Amino acid sequence: MTAPAPIPLLAVPTVPLLALDTVWFQVAGTVCNLTCSHCFITCGPTNRRHAMMTRAEVRPYLDEALGLGARDLYFTGGEPFLNRELLAILEDALAIAPTTVLTNATLIGPDLAARLRALERGSRYSLEMRVSLDGLDAAANDALRGEGSFAEALAGLRELARAGFDPIVTVAQTWDEADDAAMRERFHDTLRAEGLPRPRVKVLPLFRVGREVARTRGYAETERLTPEHMLGFDIASLQCSSSRMVTSRGVHVCPILIDAPDALLGRTLRESMRSYPLAHGACHTCWATGATCRN
Amino acid sequence: MEPIAVLGGPYGNHLALRAALLDAVARGAERIYCLGDLGGFGPRPGAMIPLLEEFGVVTVAGNYDRSLAERSPDCGCGYTHPADNAFARIAYAFTDARTSDPDRAWLGRLPSELRFTRGGRRYLLCHGSPRRTNEFLFDSACSDAFLARLARESGADQVLCTHTGLHWEREVPGGARFVNVGAVGRPANDGRPLAWYVWLAADRHEAEFISVPYDAEAMAREMETEGLPPEFAETIRTGWWTTCLEILPAKERARGRW
Ligand SMILES: [Fe+2]
């Protein structure tokens, strides 16, 4: 009797772009003033694999996003506030769509917070400030994000709150799934105690790429998606079915995979509007956790 | 072109729903539409269907109605905040336990959308968005370009929706008009204990947002008697949302008290 036929090695499920709802910008490239040990794109002061984007570089993509009926825009890095043109870019963005900035908040003082508030006031759309924090105290946070980063982030968060923002604090899930509700609760309590009146918390899973590989581990061979994973699964819950990421190198499938060569889908948003094979371990994480980088 | 009334989200608040329906009838509504979410939050989900039938209301399914009809484990709102989640579970369990089998069948027969032509414009009535029952369309979180695309793709010139609990209206490039009719059964997070619905006067496509006073104190007491969370009763009394705030975008959140 012969052995059953092996599962074809190329059986990778693909996801079509159902609609371009969200456009991301790696507006500070991979340049960051912090060097977090779990960063999935290995950002740091000297990483220039993806370059800063100028206002002039961003603008044609904003026009294209507008023409394609995008709902909202996200700006990230690296640390976006290292980009000297960021406020001008945000002004362009807020003229056409709701906008979110992902920051480590360490560079936000009273002047910057007030200027952001003025930008928000000048738009009919919401400006959401999202701040990364990865521990309930300096010891836990700084172990991942670097010495002094907890105090600096909280100072920035307080400035944002004083200017009238309710920042969304994004936390990497460095705990067991079972502790999720309790940890969310503790983050809310901690932030309230630190002087943020109406904290919002978003938990993101760890992606085992970039620097995280050395901190814990990379993906196992078994952490890959097959067509069977997609049976009865709502592909609309995967962010690659409704968003794209623009960097200085072009348009990528998502914010997590900008260093994967196959994830660069084109020079323009329109070129990037095609289906994508879910071949990465990170794709398995999105599938398993239901995670999306959106607010 | 006949005058019509469009309301959404009665949420088991029978006093608010009756007040809004009576108001619409007094204004001479040719037809009254309800965009779904009959239960949740308020004390009398079982009173919704009889009221809608008494006033001949044409109804579209909300995510709450779908969940109850399909006996889903939750309301499908997708909260992540532990407190919001807990409140959503309480409201859903309360409503689920007070929904009869015939009511479930009635909810299961509701269409996901209604389309008709009014004064030469193609109207589309839905719960969340033209493409998804549980998609939130908040004013400050949707670009003009996005709304124009939704209208184009759904073949509509006038979209009426609810699901967010906050009413707003916008005409977008290309000429389509979006009207979020807000909620009848839960106040608009503006410090006023009112029921909101939309009036489209004869020969007009622009929405008139109608706020109707009702006996909110009686409603709050009824909620307390039924054992619903005091936070829900507080919202009814004060007009400020106390729970499920996490879904609000920055601008809408900033307008509220909590
Ligand atoms: Fe709803």
Side-chain angles (χ1 to χ4, degrees), chain B residues 11 37 63-64 127 133 163:
Chain B
Y11 296 129
D37 276 0
N63 53 301
Y64 231 91
H127 180 74
T133 295
H163 187 51

Side-chain angles (χ1 to χ4, degrees), chain A residues 52-104:
Chain A
M52 292 268 178
M53 296 185 75
T54 65
R55 184 184 197 179
E57 275 178 286
V58 169
R59 199 175 276 145
Y61 287 109
L62 292 180
D63 292 342
E64 207 188 358
L66 188 68
L68 292 166
R71 177 188 51 211
D72 45 23
L73 306 167
Y74 284 72
F75 293 86
T76 185
E79 169 48 46
F81 288 103
L82 290 174
N83 186 324
R84 286 168 198 281
E85 288 194 293
L86 185 69
L87 292 178
I89 291 168
L90 293 181
E91 192 177 347
D92 292 345
L94 281 165
I96 61 167
T99 297
T100 297
V101 183
L102 278 67
T103 172
N104 60 37

Side-chain angles (χ1 to χ4, degrees), chain B residues 142-159:
Chain B
C142 296
S143 72
D144 275 349
F146 171 65
L147 295 177
R149 165 159 67 86
L150 287 185
R152 205 169 52 240
E153 287 176 353
S154 60
D157 307 305
Q158 179 116 359
V159 175

